[in-house]
Amino acid sequence: MAEVPTDVLERFAWYAREMSALTVMFHSRVAEQMGVSATDEKCLDLAMRADGPLTAGRIAELSGLSTGAVTGVIDRLERAGYVRRVRDPHDRRKVLVEVTPQNSEKFAHLFEGAMETVERVLSQFTPEERDLLERYNKLTIDVFRERMFTPD
Amino acid sequence: MAEVPTDVLERFAWYAREMSALTVMFHSRVAEQMGVSATDEKCLDLAMRADGPLTAGRIAELSGLSTGAVTGVIDRLERAGYVRRVRDPHDRRKVLVEVTPQNSEKFAHLFEGAMETVERVLSQFTPEERDLLERYNKLTIDVFRERMFTPD
DNA sequence: ACGCCGTTTCTTAGTCGCTAAGATGTTGAA
DNA sequence: TTCAACATCTTAGCGACTAAGAAACGGCGT
């Protein structure tokens, strides 16, 4: 467990902040191109990254919105053709939000640019170096996620 | 310029997406703890990351908001004590938004947690490995920024 | 110096999305 | 069956955003 010099730490903090700002900008850009609000895109992203379909209530929890707001979000996403409401056959109170296949296509198209960005960066590294970068990414996500989801 | 195998590319795309979602979540968490909206925090971040003080109009451009909306943003940030309005002495039409020193303190406090996260990750790598990670971060920011700020 | 137009910020009216609280429909257990 | 808990939707009220115009200022030409 190596000590980290202050100047190195500060530079990495700056990278994080810069990436953070670019990411937020990127999200609103994507939302704009998809013709939905940033909030709607955020919820759609949640629904797409989940293993199975999410319920409306779960989306409310994960996004931090009220259930009433989520009703509106799903309304708009459904009208735009990105998702579909399906009543849970086992518990008909619940509404499952299913991402429609067409959306995957549209979405993939929009993200091709991002994919190319990733490729442009990775092409500058050898396979051995990429292994290290992969370890770095995984670790960052784990530590970051832990900090986000544990009570202070 | 090494070729990047598809499976590697896909894994890195997944990391990017996960980081992206965590980042957006992190931003709204920070905003909440600062007692301002996500929009306001985004503008404050812009003002803090700039070299000199920004004008209201420049914040509108950078944030994508209308000038009217920015007036409201600055009103709220000023009332909360994070920034101060200063008329540009050279062009008294302009309003310079100055980040107040107290804010730096509050901000630093909130970001100590993030700093610790960065440190926890970096401590797992040797100085030589960190050099590589630094190259990766810089390159990612450059390529990402180029994609964001060039017309399609 | 004066008038005039472009620029910068602020104001106002209208719209939209969010929260909070209650209504509606559903479940599971007594 | 009846009732309490639950999941989603509906509604009222509020706050923030956009668009358009007002107010203040700068700088040019005459």
Side-chain angles (χ1 to χ4, degrees), chain A residues 1-145:
Chain A
M1 184 87 73
E3 282 299 310
V4 184
T6 310
D7 62 321
V8 174
L9 201 55
E10 274 171 7
R11 284 203 304 280
F12 273 87
W14 186 85
Y15 301 143
R17 197 156 177 191
E18 206 64 21
M19 276 304 295
S20 176
L22 283 168
T23 298
V24 171
M25 223 180 283
F26 177 68
H27 262 261
S28 57
R29 187 78 61 91
V30 168
E32 192 185 351
Q33 295 201 357
M34 293 178 76
V36 299
S37 76
T39 300
D40 295 356
E41 194 270 337
K42 186 169 131 190
C43 292
L44 179 56
D45 190 55
L46 283 171
M48 295 188 73
R49 291 209 329 286
D51 330 326
L54 294 174
T55 64
R58 185 88 186 105
I59 291 179
E61 283 176 37
L62 293 171
S63 65
L65 295 171
S66 65
T67 61
V70 170
T71 299
V73 168
I74 301 175
D75 282 351
R76 290 187 295 272
L77 288 177
E78 194 167 36
R79 212 176 312 128
Y82 290 113
V83 303
R84 188 167 44 196
R85 272 184 172 86
V86 181
R87 295 225 81 104
D88 186 337
H90 298 351
D91 184 345
R92 294 175 37 74
R93 286 170 304 182
K94 294 181 182 175
V95 166
L96 298 175
V97 177
E98 231 177 54
V99 180
T100 57
Q102 307 98 291
N103 174 44
S104 301
E105 292 171 29
K106 286 198 200 176
F107 198 74
H109 174 261
L110 280 173
F111 271 62
E112 262 168 31
M115 269 299 220
E116 198 201 306
T117 300
V118 174
E119 185 164 19
R120 283 247 298 280
V121 172
L122 289 181
S123 70
Q124 303 297 315
F125 297 90
T126 67
E128 293 72 31
E129 289 173 333
R130 291 201 292 255
D131 286 344
L132 176 65
L133 296 180
E134 206 154 350
R135 180 158 75 87
Y136 170 69
N137 272 298
K138 278 188 204 155
L139 186 58
T140 302
I141 289 170
D142 285 350
V143 175
F144 198 178
R145 206 204 303 274

Side-chain angles (χ1 to χ4, degrees), chain A residues 1-2 11-12 15 17-18 20 27 29 45 107 117 123 132 134 136-138 145 147-148, chain B residues 1-2 11-12 15 17-18 20 27 29 45 107 117 123-124 132 134 136-138 145 147-148:
Chain A
M1 184 87 73
R11 284 203 304 280
F12 273 87
Y15 301 143
R17 197 156 177 191
E18 206 64 21
S20 176
H27 262 261
R29 187 78 61 91
D45 190 55
F107 198 74
T117 300
S123 70
L132 176 65
E134 206 154 350
Y136 170 69
N137 272 298
K138 278 188 204 155
R145 206 204 303 274
R147 176 157 287 282
M148 289 298 289
Chain B
M1 184 86 73
R11 284 204 303 280
F12 272 88
Y15 301 143
R17 198 157 178 192
E18 206 65 21
S20 175
H27 261 261
R29 187 78 61 90
D45 190 55
F107 198 74
T117 300
S123 69
Q124 303 298 313
L132 176 65
E134 206 154 349
Y136 170 69
N137 272 299
K138 277 187 204 155
R145 204 204 304 272
R147 177 158 287 283
M148 289 297 289

Side-chain angles (χ1 to χ4, degrees), chain B residues 1-97:
Chain B
M1 184 86 73
E3 283 299 310
V4 185
T6 310
D7 62 321
V8 174
L9 202 56
E10 274 171 6
R11 284 204 303 280
F12 272 88
W14 185 86
Y15 301 143
R17 198 157 178 192
E18 206 65 21
M19 276 305 294
S20 175
L22 283 168
T23 297
V24 172
M25 222 179 286
F26 177 68
H27 261 261
S28 55
R29 187 78 61 90
V30 168
E32 192 185 349
Q33 296 201 357
M34 293 179 75
V36 300
S37 77
T39 300
D40 296 355
E41 194 273 334
K42 187 170 130 191
C43 292
L44 179 56
D45 190 55
L46 282 171
M48 293 188 73
R49 291 211 327 290
D51 328 324
L54 295 174
T55 65
R58 185 90 185 106
I59 291 179
E61 282 177 38
L62 293 171
S63 65
L65 295 171
S66 64
T67 61
V70 170
T71 299
V73 168
I74 301 174
D75 282 351
R76 290 187 295 274
L77 288 177
E78 194 167 36
R79 211 176 313 126
Y82 289 113
V83 303
R84 187 168 44 197
R85 272 184 173 88
V86 180
R87 296 224 82 103
D88 186 336
H90 297 347
D91 184 344
R92 295 176 39 75
R93 287 170 304 181
K94 295 182 182 174
V95 165
L96 298 175
V97 177

